[in-house]
Amino acid sequence: MLHYGKLAAAFSVAASLMAGTAMAQTVLRSSDTHPDGYPTVEGVKYFGELLKERTDGRYEVEVYHSAQLGEEKDTIEQVRSGVLELNRISMAPFNGTVKESIVPALPYIFRSEEHMHKVMDGAIGDQIKTAFEGAGLVVLAFYDAGSRSFYNRQKPINSVEDMKGLKFRVIQSDIFVDMVAALGANATPMPYGEVYSSIETGVIDGAENNFPSYDTAKHYEVAKYLSLDEHTILPEVFVMNKAAFDKLTPEDQAIFKEAATESVAKQRELWAAKVGESRKIVEAAGVEITTPEKQGFIDAMAPVYAKHVTDPVLIKMVEDVKAVQ
């Protein structure tokens, strides 16, 4: 016969096991094309830490960095179909799916990073979030990706004239293809992971991106001329499969949203530090950095706006963005 104390202990262990089963941990997978330690990767990790803490371990986030689950185009479909629960991705690849995402991707739509923050943190950002739900996605956060500029292996770019005939890799977005064409250059959409070898072998002359990407992907090794035309200040978007989000209790939905909001401040802080660090790295590597006369680039964008901003909703959004002070 079991001693009473041992029997009580056995019941206690069984009860704990049953409770553990009832409160089983759910592991959510999140994809990112950037390497471990990159500010967007760390922003999602921080979100995961807050989520785990505030749900008493019921939810955990595993971040698959370095395009382990595929390039951006592939992972968009994975998260929309529910194969992936979470995804951190550039805004531009959604342009063909969510029309409202076109506005933040327009060249020179934002006057500065501060202007972009005010827009994305306000009513226009909320409008874009609502639009994403129609594509089966819930936007948890908008992250920083700084300003994007052109770099190449051939020559310094000081004006629009210097762009003529050069071949640049762009994000898989019609806006970016048309932007490069408007500058007299040739656009080649391709996955991010193929850029280094394509520049190295001369398939393309260069690409366009921010300082941290130019640094961490080592593109500065094969494209030594960086021109700070700063054509876009393109936000990143952190999304969740809508069906998975809708299955959460209202309490958990609130926790997810709060954790994501808090991760934005963390990501922005990390981003600002990384930009400074990356600039020092590429300067030390002998990159020639020039600042072209921007008005020529801005003026060249008229046909891009004329083509992509025809819908009344988008026309109003562009006006609203410009009105934000």
Short mmCIF file of all heavy atoms in Angstrom, two decimals, residues 25-32 44 47 51 58-64 69 74-89 94 135-141 237-248 256:
data_model
loop_
_atom_site.label_atom_id
_atom_site.label_comp_id
_atom_site.label_asym_id
_atom_site.label_seq_id
_atom_site.Cartn_x
_atom_site.Cartn_y
_atom_site.Cartn_z
N GLN A 25 2.59 24.48 -24.93
CA GLN A 25 3.24 25.59 -25.60
C GLN A 25 3.00 25.53 -27.11
O GLN A 25 3.04 24.47 -27.72
CB GLN A 25 4.74 25.51 -25.33
CG GLN A 25 5.54 26.66 -25.92
CD GLN A 25 7.02 26.43 -25.71
OE1 GLN A 25 7.61 25.57 -26.34
NE2 GLN A 25 7.62 27.18 -24.82
N THR A 26 2.72 26.66 -27.69
CA THR A 26 2.57 26.77 -29.14
C THR A 26 3.78 27.52 -29.69
O THR A 26 4.05 28.65 -29.27
CB THR A 26 1.28 27.54 -29.51
OG1 THR A 26 0.16 26.82 -28.98
CG2 THR A 26 1.13 27.66 -31.01
N VAL A 27 4.50 26.88 -30.59
CA VAL A 27 5.69 27.49 -31.19
C VAL A 27 5.29 28.09 -32.54
O VAL A 27 4.79 27.39 -33.42
CB VAL A 27 6.82 26.47 -31.36
CG1 VAL A 27 8.03 27.13 -32.03
CG2 VAL A 27 7.23 25.89 -30.01
N LEU A 28 5.48 29.38 -32.67
CA LEU A 28 5.17 30.10 -33.90
C LEU A 28 6.45 30.32 -34.69
O LEU A 28 7.45 30.77 -34.14
CB LEU A 28 4.51 31.45 -33.57
CG LEU A 28 3.30 31.40 -32.65
CD1 LEU A 28 2.87 32.82 -32.27
CD2 LEU A 28 2.14 30.67 -33.32
N ARG A 29 6.42 30.02 -35.97
CA ARG A 29 7.61 30.18 -36.81
C ARG A 29 7.53 31.51 -37.57
O ARG A 29 6.50 31.86 -38.12
CB ARG A 29 7.73 29.02 -37.80
CG ARG A 29 7.93 27.67 -37.13
CD ARG A 29 8.22 26.59 -38.17
NE ARG A 29 7.21 26.60 -39.22
CZ ARG A 29 7.42 26.12 -40.46
NH1 ARG A 29 8.59 25.62 -40.79
NH2 ARG A 29 6.45 26.13 -41.36
N SER A 30 8.67 32.22 -37.58
CA SER A 30 8.75 33.50 -38.28
C SER A 30 9.96 33.50 -39.21
O SER A 30 11.04 33.03 -38.83
CB SER A 30 8.87 34.65 -37.27
OG SER A 30 8.83 35.89 -37.94
N SER A 31 9.78 34.02 -40.41
CA SER A 31 10.86 34.05 -41.40
C SER A 31 11.44 35.44 -41.56
O SER A 31 10.74 36.44 -41.40
CB SER A 31 10.32 33.55 -42.75
OG SER A 31 11.33 33.62 -43.74
N ASP A 32 12.72 35.50 -41.90
CA ASP A 32 13.40 36.76 -42.23
C ASP A 32 14.53 36.45 -43.19
O ASP A 32 15.26 35.48 -43.00
CB ASP A 32 13.95 37.42 -40.96
CG ASP A 32 14.22 38.92 -41.16
OD1 ASP A 32 14.98 39.26 -42.09
OD2 ASP A 32 13.68 39.72 -40.39
N VAL A 44 11.93 40.94 -34.00
CA VAL A 44 10.98 39.83 -33.88
C VAL A 44 11.34 38.94 -32.69
O VAL A 44 10.46 38.45 -31.98
CB VAL A 44 10.92 39.01 -35.19
CG1 VAL A 44 9.97 37.81 -35.03
CG2 VAL A 44 10.45 39.89 -36.35
N PHE A 47 9.97 40.62 -29.68
CA PHE A 47 8.53 40.36 -29.65
C PHE A 47 8.26 38.98 -29.04
O PHE A 47 7.38 38.82 -28.18
CB PHE A 47 7.96 40.43 -31.07
CG PHE A 47 6.62 39.77 -31.24
CD1 PHE A 47 5.44 40.40 -30.84
CD2 PHE A 47 6.52 38.50 -31.82
CE1 PHE A 47 4.20 39.79 -31.00
CE2 PHE A 47 5.29 37.88 -31.99
CZ PHE A 47 4.12 38.53 -31.57
N LEU A 51 6.20 38.02 -25.67
CA LEU A 51 5.05 37.13 -25.81
C LEU A 51 5.15 35.94 -24.87
O LEU A 51 4.18 35.58 -24.18
CB LEU A 51 4.98 36.64 -27.27
CG LEU A 51 3.69 35.97 -27.72
CD1 LEU A 51 2.53 36.93 -27.64
CD2 LEU A 51 3.86 35.44 -29.14
N ARG A 58 3.07 30.06 -22.85
CA ARG A 58 2.15 29.34 -23.75
C ARG A 58 2.50 29.54 -25.22
O ARG A 58 2.16 28.72 -26.06
CB ARG A 58 0.71 29.78 -23.48
CG ARG A 58 0.12 29.25 -22.18
CD ARG A 58 -1.34 29.63 -22.02
NE ARG A 58 -1.52 31.07 -21.79
CZ ARG A 58 -2.09 31.90 -22.67
NH1 ARG A 58 -2.52 31.44 -23.83
NH2 ARG A 58 -2.25 33.18 -22.38
N TYR A 59 3.15 30.68 -25.52
CA TYR A 59 3.55 30.96 -26.90
C TYR A 59 5.04 31.27 -26.96
O TYR A 59 5.57 31.96 -26.10
CB TYR A 59 2.76 32.13 -27.48
CG TYR A 59 1.31 31.81 -27.73
CD1 TYR A 59 0.34 32.13 -26.77
CD2 TYR A 59 0.91 31.17 -28.90
CE1 TYR A 59 -1.00 31.81 -27.00
CE2 TYR A 59 -0.42 30.85 -29.12
CZ TYR A 59 -1.37 31.18 -28.17
OH TYR A 59 -2.69 30.86 -28.38
N GLU A 60 5.66 30.76 -27.99
CA GLU A 60 7.08 31.01 -28.22
C GLU A 60 7.29 31.25 -29.71
O GLU A 60 6.56 30.69 -30.54
CB GLU A 60 7.91 29.82 -27.76
CG GLU A 60 9.41 30.04 -27.83
CD GLU A 60 10.21 28.90 -27.21
OE1 GLU A 60 9.65 28.15 -26.39
OE2 GLU A 60 11.38 28.78 -27.57
N VAL A 61 8.26 32.09 -30.05
CA VAL A 61 8.53 32.41 -31.44
C VAL A 61 9.92 31.90 -31.83
O VAL A 61 10.90 32.18 -31.13
CB VAL A 61 8.44 33.93 -31.69
CG1 VAL A 61 8.83 34.26 -33.14
CG2 VAL A 61 7.03 34.44 -31.40
N GLU A 62 9.99 31.16 -32.92
CA GLU A 62 11.27 30.73 -33.48
C GLU A 62 11.52 31.55 -34.75
O GLU A 62 10.70 31.51 -35.68
CB GLU A 62 11.26 29.24 -33.82
CG GLU A 62 11.33 28.34 -32.60
CD GLU A 62 11.43 26.86 -32.98
OE1 GLU A 62 11.33 26.54 -34.19
OE2 GLU A 62 11.57 26.04 -32.06
N VAL A 63 12.62 32.30 -34.78
CA VAL A 63 12.92 33.13 -35.94
C VAL A 63 13.90 32.41 -36.85
O VAL A 63 15.01 32.07 -36.44
CB VAL A 63 13.51 34.49 -35.50
CG1 VAL A 63 13.77 35.36 -36.73
CG2 VAL A 63 12.56 35.21 -34.54
N TYR A 64 13.48 32.16 -38.07
CA TYR A 64 14.33 31.53 -39.08
C TYR A 64 14.91 32.63 -39.96
O TYR A 64 14.26 33.14 -40.86
CB TYR A 64 13.52 30.53 -39.91
CG TYR A 64 13.11 29.30 -39.12
CD1 TYR A 64 12.00 29.33 -38.28
CD2 TYR A 64 13.86 28.13 -39.20
CE1 TYR A 64 11.64 28.22 -37.54
CE2 TYR A 64 13.50 27.00 -38.45
CZ TYR A 64 12.39 27.06 -37.62
OH TYR A 64 12.04 25.95 -36.88
N LEU A 69 13.86 29.68 -44.70
CA LEU A 69 12.57 29.15 -45.17
C LEU A 69 12.22 29.63 -46.57
O LEU A 69 11.11 29.39 -47.05
CB LEU A 69 11.46 29.54 -44.18
CG LEU A 69 11.66 29.06 -42.74
CD1 LEU A 69 10.50 29.50 -41.86
CD2 LEU A 69 11.81 27.53 -42.68
N ASP A 74 8.58 33.73 -51.71
CA ASP A 74 8.10 32.42 -51.29
C ASP A 74 7.43 32.49 -49.91
O ASP A 74 6.37 31.88 -49.70
CB ASP A 74 9.27 31.42 -51.22
CG ASP A 74 9.99 31.30 -52.55
OD1 ASP A 74 9.30 31.25 -53.59
OD2 ASP A 74 11.22 31.27 -52.56
N THR A 75 8.04 33.23 -49.00
CA THR A 75 7.51 33.24 -47.63
C THR A 75 6.22 34.05 -47.52
O THR A 75 5.42 33.79 -46.61
CB THR A 75 8.56 33.75 -46.63
OG1 THR A 75 8.95 35.09 -46.97
CG2 THR A 75 9.78 32.85 -46.60
N ILE A 76 5.99 34.99 -48.43
CA ILE A 76 4.70 35.69 -48.44
C ILE A 76 3.58 34.69 -48.65
O ILE A 76 2.56 34.69 -47.94
CB ILE A 76 4.66 36.77 -49.54
CG1 ILE A 76 5.51 37.98 -49.14
CG2 ILE A 76 3.22 37.22 -49.79
CD1 ILE A 76 5.60 39.04 -50.21
N GLU A 77 3.75 33.80 -49.61
CA GLU A 77 2.72 32.80 -49.88
C GLU A 77 2.59 31.81 -48.74
O GLU A 77 1.49 31.33 -48.42
CB GLU A 77 3.03 32.07 -51.20
CG GLU A 77 2.92 32.96 -52.43
CD GLU A 77 1.63 33.78 -52.45
OE1 GLU A 77 0.55 33.20 -52.25
OE2 GLU A 77 1.70 35.01 -52.65
N GLN A 78 3.72 31.50 -48.09
CA GLN A 78 3.69 30.57 -46.96
C GLN A 78 2.87 31.12 -45.80
O GLN A 78 2.09 30.40 -45.17
CB GLN A 78 5.11 30.25 -46.49
CG GLN A 78 5.91 29.38 -47.45
CD GLN A 78 7.34 29.19 -47.00
OE1 GLN A 78 7.61 29.04 -45.82
NE2 GLN A 78 8.27 29.20 -47.94
N VAL A 79 3.04 32.41 -45.51
CA VAL A 79 2.31 32.99 -44.38
C VAL A 79 0.85 33.24 -44.75
O VAL A 79 -0.05 33.08 -43.91
CB VAL A 79 3.00 34.27 -43.85
CG1 VAL A 79 2.78 35.46 -44.78
CG2 VAL A 79 2.51 34.61 -42.45
N ARG A 80 0.57 33.57 -45.99
CA ARG A 80 -0.83 33.76 -46.40
C ARG A 80 -1.61 32.44 -46.36
O ARG A 80 -2.79 32.42 -46.02
CB ARG A 80 -0.91 34.36 -47.82
CG ARG A 80 -0.47 35.81 -47.90
CD ARG A 80 -0.69 36.37 -49.29
NE ARG A 80 -2.13 36.50 -49.59
CZ ARG A 80 -2.61 36.69 -50.80
NH1 ARG A 80 -1.79 36.75 -51.85
NH2 ARG A 80 -3.92 36.83 -50.98
N SER A 81 -0.94 31.35 -46.69
CA SER A 81 -1.61 30.05 -46.72
C SER A 81 -1.63 29.37 -45.35
O SER A 81 -2.30 28.36 -45.16
CB SER A 81 -0.93 29.12 -47.73
OG SER A 81 0.40 28.84 -47.33
N GLY A 82 -0.87 29.92 -44.39
CA GLY A 82 -0.85 29.34 -43.06
C GLY A 82 0.25 28.33 -42.81
O GLY A 82 0.35 27.76 -41.73
N VAL A 83 1.11 28.11 -43.81
CA VAL A 83 2.27 27.23 -43.61
C VAL A 83 3.21 27.85 -42.57
O VAL A 83 3.80 27.16 -41.74
CB VAL A 83 3.01 26.98 -44.94
CG1 VAL A 83 4.29 26.18 -44.72
CG2 VAL A 83 2.10 26.25 -45.92
N LEU A 84 3.33 29.18 -42.64
CA LEU A 84 4.07 29.96 -41.64
C LEU A 84 3.07 30.81 -40.86
O LEU A 84 2.08 31.27 -41.42
CB LEU A 84 5.04 30.92 -42.33
CG LEU A 84 6.45 30.48 -42.65
CD1 LEU A 84 7.18 31.61 -43.37
CD2 LEU A 84 7.20 30.09 -41.42
N GLU A 85 3.35 31.01 -39.58
CA GLU A 85 2.46 31.86 -38.79
C GLU A 85 2.85 33.34 -38.87
O GLU A 85 1.99 34.22 -38.85
CB GLU A 85 2.49 31.44 -37.31
CG GLU A 85 1.90 30.06 -37.03
CD GLU A 85 2.91 28.94 -37.28
OE1 GLU A 85 4.13 29.22 -37.31
OE2 GLU A 85 2.47 27.78 -37.46
N LEU A 86 4.16 33.60 -38.94
CA LEU A 86 4.68 34.97 -38.87
C LEU A 86 5.70 35.23 -39.98
O LEU A 86 6.35 34.29 -40.46
CB LEU A 86 5.35 35.22 -37.52
CG LEU A 86 4.48 35.07 -36.26
CD1 LEU A 86 5.36 34.96 -35.02
CD2 LEU A 86 3.53 36.26 -36.13
N ASN A 87 5.85 36.49 -40.35
CA ASN A 87 6.83 36.83 -41.38
C ASN A 87 7.20 38.30 -41.26
O ASN A 87 6.34 39.15 -41.09
CB ASN A 87 6.24 36.57 -42.76
CG ASN A 87 7.29 36.42 -43.85
OD1 ASN A 87 8.48 36.48 -43.58
ND2 ASN A 87 6.85 36.23 -45.08
N ARG A 88 8.49 38.58 -41.35
CA ARG A 88 8.97 39.96 -41.42
C ARG A 88 9.47 40.15 -42.85
O ARG A 88 10.32 39.43 -43.32
CB ARG A 88 10.10 40.17 -40.41
CG ARG A 88 10.47 41.64 -40.19
CD ARG A 88 11.10 42.33 -41.36
NE ARG A 88 12.14 41.53 -42.00
CZ ARG A 88 12.56 41.71 -43.24
NH1 ARG A 88 12.02 42.64 -44.03
NH2 ARG A 88 13.52 40.94 -43.76
N ILE A 89 8.91 41.15 -43.52
CA ILE A 89 9.20 41.27 -44.94
C ILE A 89 9.12 42.74 -45.37
O ILE A 89 8.50 43.56 -44.70
CB ILE A 89 8.21 40.39 -45.73
CG1 ILE A 89 8.73 40.01 -47.09
CG2 ILE A 89 6.84 41.03 -45.81
CD1 ILE A 89 8.07 38.78 -47.65
N PHE A 94 4.49 43.34 -51.45
CA PHE A 94 3.03 43.24 -51.29
C PHE A 94 2.27 44.16 -52.24
O PHE A 94 1.04 44.17 -52.25
CB PHE A 94 2.64 43.59 -49.84
CG PHE A 94 3.00 42.54 -48.84
CD1 PHE A 94 4.07 42.71 -47.97
CD2 PHE A 94 2.27 41.36 -48.75
CE1 PHE A 94 4.40 41.75 -47.04
CE2 PHE A 94 2.60 40.39 -47.82
CZ PHE A 94 3.66 40.58 -46.96
N ALA A 135 -6.00 40.41 -47.41
CA ALA A 135 -5.07 39.45 -48.02
C ALA A 135 -4.76 38.29 -47.08
O ALA A 135 -3.84 37.51 -47.32
CB ALA A 135 -3.77 40.17 -48.39
N GLY A 136 -5.56 38.19 -46.00
CA GLY A 136 -5.38 37.08 -45.06
C GLY A 136 -4.24 37.29 -44.09
O GLY A 136 -3.70 36.32 -43.55
N LEU A 137 -3.88 38.56 -43.83
CA LEU A 137 -2.75 38.87 -42.96
C LEU A 137 -3.11 39.93 -41.93
O LEU A 137 -3.88 40.85 -42.23
CB LEU A 137 -1.57 39.37 -43.79
CG LEU A 137 -0.99 38.40 -44.83
CD1 LEU A 137 -0.08 39.14 -45.80
CD2 LEU A 137 -0.24 37.25 -44.15
N VAL A 138 -2.56 39.80 -40.75
CA VAL A 138 -2.69 40.83 -39.71
C VAL A 138 -1.33 41.49 -39.54
O VAL A 138 -0.33 40.81 -39.28
CB VAL A 138 -3.16 40.22 -38.37
CG1 VAL A 138 -3.10 41.27 -37.25
CG2 VAL A 138 -4.58 39.68 -38.51
N VAL A 139 -1.28 42.80 -39.72
CA VAL A 139 -0.03 43.53 -39.51
C VAL A 139 0.15 43.76 -38.02
O VAL A 139 -0.66 44.42 -37.37
CB VAL A 139 -0.04 44.89 -40.25
CG1 VAL A 139 1.22 45.68 -39.90
CG2 VAL A 139 -0.13 44.68 -41.75
N LEU A 140 1.22 43.20 -37.48
CA LEU A 140 1.52 43.40 -36.06
C LEU A 140 2.37 44.63 -35.83
O LEU A 140 2.25 45.29 -34.79
CB LEU A 140 2.23 42.16 -35.51
CG LEU A 140 1.41 40.86 -35.48
CD1 LEU A 140 2.29 39.68 -35.04
CD2 LEU A 140 0.21 41.00 -34.55
N ALA A 141 3.24 44.95 -36.80
CA ALA A 141 4.14 46.09 -36.60
C ALA A 141 4.74 46.54 -37.92
O ALA A 141 4.85 45.76 -38.87
CB ALA A 141 5.28 45.71 -35.64
N VAL A 237 7.36 45.27 -42.84
CA VAL A 237 6.09 44.91 -42.23
C VAL A 237 6.22 43.54 -41.56
O VAL A 237 6.82 42.62 -42.11
CB VAL A 237 4.94 44.94 -43.26
CG1 VAL A 237 5.18 43.97 -44.41
CG2 VAL A 237 3.60 44.69 -42.62
N PHE A 238 5.74 43.44 -40.33
CA PHE A 238 5.76 42.20 -39.55
C PHE A 238 4.32 41.70 -39.49
O PHE A 238 3.46 42.36 -38.91
CB PHE A 238 6.32 42.47 -38.15
CG PHE A 238 6.35 41.28 -37.24
CD1 PHE A 238 6.66 40.01 -37.70
CD2 PHE A 238 6.08 41.43 -35.87
CE1 PHE A 238 6.69 38.91 -36.85
CE2 PHE A 238 6.11 40.35 -35.01
CZ PHE A 238 6.42 39.08 -35.50
N VAL A 239 4.06 40.57 -40.16
CA VAL A 239 2.69 40.10 -40.32
C VAL A 239 2.47 38.72 -39.70
O VAL A 239 3.41 37.96 -39.51
CB VAL A 239 2.28 40.04 -41.81
CG1 VAL A 239 2.25 41.43 -42.43
CG2 VAL A 239 3.21 39.13 -42.61
N MET A 240 1.19 38.44 -39.43
CA MET A 240 0.78 37.13 -38.93
C MET A 240 -0.37 36.62 -39.78
O MET A 240 -1.20 37.40 -40.26
CB MET A 240 0.33 37.25 -37.46
CG MET A 240 -0.08 35.93 -36.83
SD MET A 240 -0.37 36.11 -35.04
CE MET A 240 -0.75 34.40 -34.61
N ASN A 241 -0.40 35.32 -40.00
CA ASN A 241 -1.51 34.71 -40.70
C ASN A 241 -2.82 35.04 -39.98
O ASN A 241 -2.93 34.84 -38.77
CB ASN A 241 -1.30 33.19 -40.77
CG ASN A 241 -2.49 32.47 -41.36
OD1 ASN A 241 -3.40 32.06 -40.63
ND2 ASN A 241 -2.51 32.30 -42.66
N LYS A 242 -3.80 35.59 -40.71
CA LYS A 242 -5.02 36.08 -40.08
C LYS A 242 -5.83 34.97 -39.43
O LYS A 242 -6.39 35.14 -38.34
CB LYS A 242 -5.89 36.82 -41.10
CG LYS A 242 -7.09 37.53 -40.46
CD LYS A 242 -7.84 38.38 -41.47
CE LYS A 242 -8.96 39.16 -40.79
NZ LYS A 242 -9.96 38.32 -40.13
N ALA A 243 -5.90 33.82 -40.07
CA ALA A 243 -6.66 32.70 -39.49
C ALA A 243 -6.07 32.29 -38.15
O ALA A 243 -6.80 31.99 -37.19
CB ALA A 243 -6.69 31.52 -40.46
N ALA A 244 -4.73 32.29 -38.05
CA ALA A 244 -4.07 31.93 -36.80
C ALA A 244 -4.33 32.99 -35.74
O ALA A 244 -4.59 32.68 -34.56
CB ALA A 244 -2.57 31.77 -37.02
N PHE A 245 -4.30 34.27 -36.15
CA PHE A 245 -4.57 35.36 -35.20
C PHE A 245 -6.02 35.30 -34.70
O PHE A 245 -6.28 35.50 -33.52
CB PHE A 245 -4.29 36.71 -35.85
CG PHE A 245 -4.46 37.88 -34.93
CD1 PHE A 245 -3.45 38.26 -34.06
CD2 PHE A 245 -5.64 38.62 -34.91
CE1 PHE A 245 -3.60 39.34 -33.20
CE2 PHE A 245 -5.81 39.70 -34.06
CZ PHE A 245 -4.78 40.05 -33.20
N ASP A 246 -6.94 35.03 -35.61
CA ASP A 246 -8.36 35.00 -35.25
C ASP A 246 -8.70 33.88 -34.27
O ASP A 246 -9.71 33.95 -33.56
CB ASP A 246 -9.23 34.86 -36.51
CG ASP A 246 -9.24 36.13 -37.35
OD1 ASP A 246 -8.83 37.19 -36.83
OD2 ASP A 246 -9.67 36.06 -38.53
N LYS A 247 -7.86 32.84 -34.23
CA LYS A 247 -8.10 31.73 -33.31
C LYS A 247 -7.68 32.07 -31.87
O LYS A 247 -8.04 31.36 -30.94
CB LYS A 247 -7.34 30.49 -33.78
CG LYS A 247 -7.93 29.84 -35.02
CD LYS A 247 -7.10 28.65 -35.47
CE LYS A 247 -7.65 28.05 -36.76
NZ LYS A 247 -6.78 26.95 -37.27
N LEU A 248 -6.91 33.14 -31.71
CA LEU A 248 -6.47 33.54 -30.38
C LEU A 248 -7.65 34.08 -29.58
O LEU A 248 -8.60 34.64 -30.15
CB LEU A 248 -5.40 34.63 -30.47
CG LEU A 248 -4.10 34.30 -31.22
CD1 LEU A 248 -3.25 35.56 -31.35
CD2 LEU A 248 -3.32 33.20 -30.51
N PHE A 256 -0.51 39.95 -28.05
CA PHE A 256 0.28 39.91 -29.29
C PHE A 256 0.50 41.33 -29.82
O PHE A 256 1.61 41.70 -30.19
CB PHE A 256 -0.45 39.08 -30.36
CG PHE A 256 -0.12 37.61 -30.34
CD1 PHE A 256 -0.43 36.82 -29.24
CD2 PHE A 256 0.50 37.01 -31.42
CE1 PHE A 256 -0.15 35.46 -29.23
CE2 PHE A 256 0.79 35.65 -31.42
CZ PHE A 256 0.47 34.86 -30.32
#
